[in-house]
Amino acid sequence: DASLNLKSRIAAMALLGRSPASLEKDVAFLTSLLSHKTTLEVAQAAIRRLAKLQRFKEILKFWPGVSPSLHATMIGQCLGSENGSLYFLNQAASGHIALATIDASSRNQFLTHRDGSVRDKANEVFRKGINADRQAVVKSFEGALELKGNSRNGRVQFQAICAACHKLDGIGISLGADLTALSDKSAPSM
C-alpha cells in the first residue's frame, strides 16, 4: 500500500508469499516492485523477500535494467544459498548477466564460496571472461583514447571491468599493475 510509510511498507513484505494460495500473486507483486519506479529501499526489500522465497529467476530477470546498488543486493541474496549462487552463475554463463557488470568483490565471494559446487562453477564462469592475450585487450580499448573523460562514469567502468585485477582509490584487488604509478602518463602510453 503506497499510502503507508516506508518502514511499514517494508515490514509488510514479510507477510507476502506465506500462503500457498496467494504465493504466485504475491511473487508477481514483489516482482512488480523491481520493474516500476520505487525507492531503493522498497526494491531491496522486495529482492530480500523474493530470495527468502527462493525466487531467483524473478530477481535476476531485471538485472540488465537496475542500478549497481540493486546488483549488489541481488548478488548478496543469491550468495546466501547454494541454489541462488548456482542460478546466478548459470545466468552469467549464459550471457543474461554480463560478466563486466559483476564487481571484483562479488566475483571473489563466488570464487571463495563455502560450497564447492559454487566455487567450481564460479571458476568455470569467470575464467571464460579473462583474455590472456594482453595486447588484444589493450587494442580493444584504443577507441577510448578519442573520448572526453568523465570521472564518475570512469569510476563505474573501473569497478565493472578493471577492479577484477587492479586497485585504485581503495577499490578492487591488487593483482595487476599499480595504476597510481600511471597518473603522470599520457593516455596513449597507458
Side-chain angles (χ1 to χ4, degrees):
D1 184 352
S3 67
L4 295 175
N5 67 43
L6 181 62
K7 188 175 179 180
S8 297
R9 289 178 72 197
I10 290 171
M13 283 188 214
L15 301 173
L16 297 173
R18 293 173 63 160
S19 167
S22 64
L23 177 62
E24 293 309 314
K25 181 180 171 189
D26 291 347
V27 167
F29 173 72
L30 289 165
T31 303
S32 76
L33 296 175
L34 302 179
S35 64
H36 293 102
K37 295 289 182 196
T38 59
T39 67
L40 177 63
E41 294 85 356
V42 168
Q44 288 173 324
I47 291 167
R48 288 191 298 271
R49 186 64 191 147
L50 286 165
K52 286 225 184 287
L53 298 170
Q54 297 284 302
R55 302 303 285 257
F56 300 106
K57 179 179 180 180
E58 286 83 354
I59 293 171
L60 296 176
K61 176 169 67 171
F62 295 97
W63 179 274
V66 299
S67 70
S69 296
L70 287 182
H71 284 174
T73 303
M74 290 174 170
I75 289 171
Q77 293 304 304
C78 288
L79 279 164
S81 77
E82 178 186 354
N83 289 341
S85 296
L86 291 172
Y87 188 81
F88 181 93
L89 292 168
N90 285 326
Q91 291 297 295
S94 73
H96 177 71
I97 295 174
L99 293 178
T101 63
I102 306 169
D103 65 276
S105 174
S106 296
R107 286 176 189 236
N108 190 51
Q109 287 180 301
F110 284 109
L111 290 166
T112 59
H113 197 275
R114 65 186 173 275
D115 185 88
S117 62
V118 172
R119 288 191 308 271
D120 292 345
K121 185 67 177 180
N123 274 308
E124 174 192 322
V125 169
F126 297 137
R127 193 162 296 152
K128 282 185 200 173
I130 297 173
N131 188 338
D133 183 354
R134 187 180 188 298
Q135 281 307 112
V137 172
V138 170
K139 187 157 184 65
S140 74
F141 286 97
E142 278 182 350
L145 296 173
E146 306 301 320
L147 302 173
K148 185 176 186 300
N150 177 309
S151 62
R152 187 169 49 184
N153 290 344
R155 180 174 294 279
V156 170
Q157 289 301 308
F158 177 83
Q159 288 175 320
I161 299 169
C162 310
C165 298
H166 301 280
K167 187 170 188 170
L168 186 64
D169 295 335
I171 299 167
I173 298 173
S174 297
L175 181 63
D178 178 7
L179 299 180
T180 57
L182 302 175
S183 62
D184 65 344
K185 305 283 186 194
S186 67
S189 71
M190 288 196 273

